[in-house]
Amino acid sequence: MSSGSEARRGRPRSAGADERIIRVAIELLLARGYGGLSPDEVAERAGVAKTTLYRRWPSKGHLALAVVARLQEYDEIPDTGDIRRDLTVYLGEIAVALNRMRLAGAAEGSRSPGTVAELVAAAARDDELDRLRRELYERRNALAIALIERAVRRGQLRPDLDPGVLLEQLAGALYYRVLITGAPVDEEYAARLVASALDGATTAE
Amino acid sequence: MSSGSEARRGRPRSAGADERIIRVAIELLLARGYGGLSPDEVAERAGVAKTTLYRRWPSKGHLALAVVARLQEYDEIPDTGDIRRDLTVYLGEIAVALNRMRLAGAAEGSRSPGTVAELVAAAARDDELDRLRRELYERRNALAIALIERAVRRGQLRPDLDPGVLLEQLAGALYYRVLITGAPVDEEYAARLVASALDGATTAE
Amino acid sequence: MSSGSEARRGRPRSAGADERIIRVAIELLLARGYGGLSPDEVAERAGVAKTTLYRRWPSKGHLALAVVARLQEYDEIPDTGDIRRDLTVYLGEIAVALNRMRLAGAAEGSRSPGTVAELVAAAARDDELDRLRRELYERRNALAIALIERAVRRGQLRPDLDPGVLLEQLAGALYYRVLITGAPVDEEYAARLVASALDGATTAE
Amino acid sequence: MSSGSEARRGRPRSAGADERIIRVAIELLLARGYGGLSPDEVAERAGVAKTTLYRRWPSKGHLALAVVARLQEYDEIPDTGDIRRDLTVYLGEIAVALNRMRLAGAAEGSRSPGTVAELVAAAARDDELDRLRRELYERRNALAIALIERAVRRGQLRPDLDPGVLLEQLAGALYYRVLITGAPVDEEYAARLVASALDGATTAE
DNA sequence: AGCTAATCGAGACGGTACGTCTAGTCTTAAA
DNA sequence: TTTAAGACTAGACGTACCGTCTCGATTAGCT
């Protein structure tokens, strides 16, 4: 895409700086939550000037989003052919990530959604950040939707199924618990959820 | 509740203050979103001192939650016996409320989740506020769960169904769109969602 | 002028805060010069929030000016009837103040005009600050001009003398040395200056 | 001075760069004042890299001083034999230069001393710059002092006169007005000043 | 012709001061 | 005791600015 014919000029951005900043940011975010992610401190710990940080991520929200993106970097979903199992595994991974965020910087027993909500809130104040955040989720969801579509093509799922809606039912339920009701999410719940969504609610006659 | 024996002394609380504050808060929240709900400005517009406001709602989050609660005051869900229809109506109402919040204070084309996320984030920083917020949702969800249970009892839904999980699939999908993907929610979506959740995803054989 | 019929409302400004802030500011300014006068540090040392400081002095320049004003608080110039002597004393006092500023925060042997110039420069960036600064000097100079006028009335100085111009010759020379040439100013110089200005330069015939 | 034997190697300095930079700097300084003289912008407008600029003038202050020096390039003071007139002309020229600086980058009605003070302040932070600045003034003042000395030798001014002090009275008054009181300086003032200084203040008997 | 050395354009980088913003608390006098 | 008014605490956040450093690309003199 931007493969580089255009000869770069000027001092190139320090490659190490990006990585050091992100690492420190991950550490801080997981240890203290969104509120504890101070750009000042990140810069200092990364041995970098604040300007350098802000040149890359123009606000604390952007930085936090980059952290989340990094923590979610898994490029493909295993497709074993057993859609029920694959979806359960996928949702389980999301649950793990959500739980990690949930624990970040939270008081001991707190069931607080913490970082996830803060990030959505931060995005709510900055359209550009919001766009980036949505793109992140779209990218991730595209993988899951493709998984579902393959199952449809294999005849395992009904042909008139809307894969997006199914995914929203599944992922939505996880986020609903984390963000809204505070109920726990784990693999067992993921399995129940998949069963419920796939099998439907109406009486099987 | 507190009627009674212990004779209060000193100046009694201003009667109309609560209502005036809430009204201004609703107005501000809808017009400018959570960020625009400045306690200072609410107090000033309501013709009330900040102390008066904080004596009633101990934080901005509490006030915002009170606003949201007020905006969601509907006490029962119509039960026509047609569970598919009733659920669609119910979800449609939630969608309307979410859209209202979504528009609050947002720039024109913005699809920002705004207030909902801010409120969750605020709750993430204050356990007591989080408790209140969850109670609000539980109260509302209890109605929907009862609706589903009645349908189960009538034999319209499968007896082994977990009503909570079904509700999470449905409401969760709405919130997922609003908070995470930014996709639109409306009655048409509510209907599709109900169909998808009730009918399941597996091939009907 | 603003004598107080209009009943003050709200919490009055902390009287101690002003004083504490100014004291710390004086200390810092004299010890480290204008560059070392950090509003943050002043606030912290004075045990005061930054907002409190900025409510009173809207910029570092305003604060520094307040310090200078405080350091120059002498309300009257002794008038012994000997104008030559009185002017010398007056100029000597200015010289002392200038030297104090000059030493503020300067490297050992440095003859730098430091704070005085910084203050003028700061005023150059802020019209309102500049106005305040000029008023300060006008107030001070009015005293000296009155002194000169009295001498004129007593017949000690020529009746067609412009007191303002004379003062500018005198004070100006001091400031010129401090700000421009870096030459020393002391009482001996003050005396020479007065003699030169009073006696004129033309050949006495 | 450095002509000669040690054969320079490497790419020679760009010939036109110095001049282009100074030109842009003059333009910017006069248009927007010291604060508007951004090294970045000077370099960009001059089509030059910042390194190139800083290789020639090691700080913004040095550059500004170079600008001022350039603007003051007049090599001799006319000596008509009429010391009163010659001094007036000389002071008038200084006044013109000061007024030009004063207007630089100032808001319409502002009487701000701007650049002059900024330069002094900058010099206060850098001993080497301060030395250069003082040398500039000394060079200029030497001409005036020589002028005065010639008048002394001609018997027009008193033989015991200290030419330096007289000059300080004169130039000092101009700078005092510009830097301290903000009062206007022009040729009429220059004339009054010369008269006052030459004729003295004491009653002529 | 190659080697060496300095300059050049471009722009990232360091460092740090400054002021703003926002929530919630505290202190007055009056009701 | 509540109310209005507004000063107060607390601290994070982002901006501004100057001067340095690092690239790759030039341009000279020396060998």
Side-chain angles (χ1 to χ4, degrees):
Chain A
M1 210 168 285
S2 69
S3 76
S5 54
E6 75 286 293
R8 286 251 163 259
R9 296 204 306 205
R11 176 173 177 176
R13 290 211 176 163
S14 158
D18 295 64
E19 190 56 27
R20 266 184 349 257
I21 293 170
I22 278 285
R23 267 168 167 29
V24 172
I26 289 175
E27 195 181 328
L28 267 183
L29 187 67
L30 291 182
R32 302 200 210 141
Y34 187 85
L37 182 73
S38 145
D40 254 76
E41 187 171 356
V42 170
E44 194 198 330
R45 284 215 209 176
V48 142
K50 260 203 295 183
T51 40
T52 298
L53 190 161
Y54 278 103
R55 191 173 299 115
R56 289 159 167 75
W57 298 281
S59 80
K60 170 172 166 170
H62 286 79
L63 178 59
L65 180 61
V67 168
V68 171
R70 171 68 66 94
L71 291 178
Q72 289 187 357
E73 251 172 16
Y74 41 70
D75 8 86
E76 51 180 320
I77 308 173
D79 185 344
T80 66
D82 178 349
I83 184 63
R84 202 169 284 259
R85 182 166 137 206
D86 291 341
L87 280 177
T88 303
V89 167
Y90 177 64
L91 292 183
E93 279 180 15
I94 296 183
V96 167
L98 285 175
N99 279 324
R100 187 153 50 159
M101 289 296 173
R102 188 182 239 180
L103 290 173
E108 209 45 40
S110 165
R111 298 192 289 172
S112 149
T115 300
V116 181
E118 293 280 9
L119 198 48
V120 177
R125 293 172 223 131
D126 178 340
D127 280 348
E128 199 246 346
L129 180 58
D130 198 46
R131 192 178 52 72
L132 290 174
R133 189 186 55 75
R134 286 202 312 269
E135 283 173 10
L136 173 67
Y137 282 105
E138 267 166 39
R139 217 150 41 232
R140 195 180 70 175
N141 285 347
L143 299 178
I145 287 178
L147 180 76
I148 295 172
E149 281 172 343
R150 284 195 295 272
V152 170
R153 254 179 265 123
R154 282 194 305 263
Q156 295 171 336
L157 298 180
R158 45 198 318 166
D160 62 334
L161 178 71
D162 182 329
V165 171
L166 176 58
L167 179 62
E168 282 158 2
Q169 281 176 64
L170 295 169
L174 289 183
Y175 278 86
Y176 190 76
R177 282 197 153 196
V178 169
L179 291 173
I180 307 297
T181 68
V185 295
D186 51 24
E187 300 214 349
E188 190 271 329
Y189 178 64
R192 273 209 291 157
L193 201 49
V194 170
S196 177
L198 294 194
D199 299 335
T202 49
T203 315
E205 79 258 65
Chain B
M1 203 177 284
S2 69
S3 77
S5 55
E6 74 289 286
R8 293 253 169 243
R9 300 218 297 205
R11 177 168 172 174
R13 287 203 177 172
S14 158
D18 295 60
E19 189 57 25
R20 258 180 3 251
I21 293 170
I22 274 285
R23 268 175 174 11
V24 172
I26 290 176
E27 193 182 329
L28 265 183
L29 187 67
L30 291 183
R32 299 203 216 138
Y34 188 85
L37 184 72
S38 143
D40 259 78
E41 188 169 356
V42 171
E44 194 197 330
R45 286 216 206 178
V48 141
K50 271 201 292 179
T51 35
T52 302
L53 190 162
Y54 277 103
R55 195 168 296 116
R56 288 157 170 77
W57 294 279
S59 82
K60 169 170 164 170
H62 287 79
L63 177 59
L65 182 61
V67 169
V68 171
R70 170 73 66 96
L71 291 177
Q72 288 186 358
E73 256 172 11
Y74 40 71
D75 8 83
E76 52 179 321
I77 309 172
D79 186 345
T80 66
D82 179 350
I83 184 65
R84 202 169 283 258
R85 182 165 139 207
D86 291 343
L87 280 177
T88 302
V89 167
Y90 177 65
L91 292 183
E93 278 180 16
I94 296 183
V96 167
L98 286 175
N99 278 325
R100 187 151 51 158
M101 288 298 173
R102 185 183 242 177
L103 291 173
E108 208 46 38
S110 167
R111 299 191 285 170
S112 152
T115 301
V116 181
E118 294 279 10
L119 200 47
V120 176
R125 294 174 221 125
D126 178 342
D127 282 348
E128 198 245 345
L129 180 58
D130 198 45
R131 193 178 50 72
L132 290 174
R133 189 185 56 75
R134 286 203 312 271
E135 282 172 12
L136 175 65
Y137 283 105
E138 267 165 38
R139 214 152 41 232
R140 195 179 70 177
N141 284 349
L143 299 177
I145 286 178
L147 181 75
I148 294 171
E149 282 172 342
R150 285 194 296 273
V152 171
R153 255 179 264 123
R154 282 196 304 263
Q156 293 171 338
L157 299 180
R158 46 199 317 167
D160 61 335
L161 178 72
D162 182 329
V165 171
L166 176 59
L167 180 61
E168 280 159 3
Q169 280 176 63
L170 295 169
L174 288 183
Y175 278 86
Y176 190 75
R177 282 197 154 195
V178 169
L179 290 174
I180 307 297
T181 68
V185 295
D186 51 24
E187 300 214 348
E188 190 270 329
Y189 178 64
R192 274 208 292 156
L193 200 51
V194 170
S196 178
L198 294 193
D199 298 337
T202 49
T203 316
E205 77 261 65
Chain C
M1 206 171 285
S2 68
S3 78
S5 56
E6 75 288 288
R8 288 252 162 254
R9 298 209 300 208
R11 177 173 177 175
R13 289 208 179 165
S14 158
D18 293 65
E19 191 56 27
R20 264 179 355 251
I21 292 170
I22 277 285
R23 267 165 166 31
V24 172
I26 289 175
E27 195 182 329
L28 267 182
L29 187 66
L30 291 182
R32 301 200 212 144
Y34 187 85
L37 183 71
S38 144
D40 253 77
E41 187 170 357
V42 171
E44 194 198 331
R45 285 215 210 175
V48 143
K50 260 201 298 182
T51 40
T52 298
L53 190 161
Y54 278 103
R55 191 173 300 115
R56 288 157 167 77
W57 298 282
S59 80
K60 169 172 166 169
H62 285 79
L63 178 59
L65 180 61
V67 168
V68 171
R70 171 68 66 95
L71 291 179
Q72 290 186 356
E73 251 171 18
Y74 41 71
D75 8 85
E76 50 181 322
I77 308 175
D79 185 344
T80 66
D82 178 348
I83 185 64
R84 203 171 285 258
R85 183 167 136 205
D86 291 341
L87 280 176
T88 303
V89 167
Y90 177 64
L91 292 182
E93 278 180 16
I94 296 183
V96 167
L98 286 175
N99 280 325
R100 186 152 51 157
M101 289 295 173
R102 190 182 237 178
L103 290 172
E108 209 44 42
S110 167
R111 298 191 288 170
S112 149
T115 302
V116 181
E118 294 281 9
L119 199 47
V120 178
R125 294 172 221 129
D126 179 341
D127 280 348
E128 198 247 346
L129 180 57
D130 198 46
R131 192 177 50 73
L132 291 174
R133 188 186 56 75
R134 286 201 314 269
E135 283 173 10
L136 173 66
Y137 282 104
E138 268 165 39
R139 217 152 39 230
R140 196 180 69 176
N141 285 347
L143 299 178
I145 287 178
L147 180 76
I148 294 171
E149 282 172 342
R150 283 194 297 272
V152 171
R153 256 180 264 125
R154 282 195 303 264
Q156 294 172 336
L157 299 179
R158 43 197 321 164
D160 62 334
L161 178 73
D162 182 327
V165 172
L166 176 58
L167 180 61
E168 282 158 2
Q169 281 176 64
L170 295 170
L174 288 183
Y175 278 86
Y176 190 76
R177 283 198 154 195
V178 170
L179 290 173
I180 307 298
T181 68
V185 296
D186 50 24
E187 300 213 349
E188 190 272 329
Y189 178 64
R192 274 209 291 156
L193 201 49
V194 170
S196 177
L198 293 193
D199 298 336
T202 49
T203 315
E205 76 259 65
Chain D
M1 204 177 284
S2 70
S3 76
S5 55
E6 73 288 291
R8 292 254 168 243
R9 300 220 296 206
R11 178 171 175 174
R13 290 203 178 170
S14 160
D18 295 61
E19 190 57 24
R20 258 177 6 248
I21 293 170
I22 275 284
R23 270 173 171 14
V24 172
I26 289 175
E27 193 181 330
L28 265 182
L29 187 66
L30 291 181
R32 300 202 215 139
Y34 188 85
L37 185 72
S38 143
D40 258 81
E41 187 170 357
V42 171
E44 194 197 330
R45 286 217 208 176
V48 142
K50 269 199 294 178
T51 35
T52 301
L53 190 162
Y54 277 103
R55 197 171 294 116
R56 288 156 171 77
W57 295 278
S59 81
K60 168 171 167 172
H62 286 81
L63 177 59
L65 182 61
V67 169
V68 171
R70 170 73 65 96
L71 291 177
Q72 289 187 357
E73 256 171 13
Y74 40 72
D75 10 85
E76 52 180 320
I77 309 174
D79 185 344
T80 66
D82 178 349
I83 185 63
R84 204 170 283 259
R85 182 165 137 206
D86 292 342
L87 279 176
T88 302
V89 167
Y90 176 64
L91 292 183
E93 279 180 17
I94 296 183
V96 168
L98 286 175
N99 279 325
R100 186 151 50 156
M101 289 296 172
R102 185 183 242 177
L103 291 172
E108 208 45 40
S110 167
R111 298 191 286 170
S112 151
T115 301
V116 181
E118 294 279 11
L119 201 46
V120 176
R125 293 173 222 126
D126 178 343
D127 281 346
E128 198 246 347
L129 180 57
D130 198 44
R131 192 179 50 73
L132 290 174
R133 188 186 56 77
R134 286 202 314 269
E135 281 173 12
L136 175 66
Y137 282 104
E138 268 165 39
R139 216 153 39 232
R140 197 179 68 177
N141 285 348
L143 299 177
I145 286 178
L147 181 75
I148 294 171
E149 283 172 342
R150 284 195 296 271
V152 171
R153 257 180 262 122
R154 283 195 303 264
Q156 294 172 336
L157 298 180
R158 44 198 320 165
D160 62 335
L161 179 71
D162 182 329
V165 172
L166 177 57
L167 181 61
E168 281 159 2
Q169 280 175 64
L170 295 170
L174 288 183
Y175 278 86
Y176 190 76
R177 282 199 155 195
V178 170
L179 290 174
I180 308 297
T181 67
V185 295
D186 51 24
E187 300 213 350
E188 190 271 330
Y189 178 65
R192 274 207 292 154
L193 201 48
V194 170
S196 177
L198 294 193
D199 298 336
T202 49
T203 316
E205 77 259 65

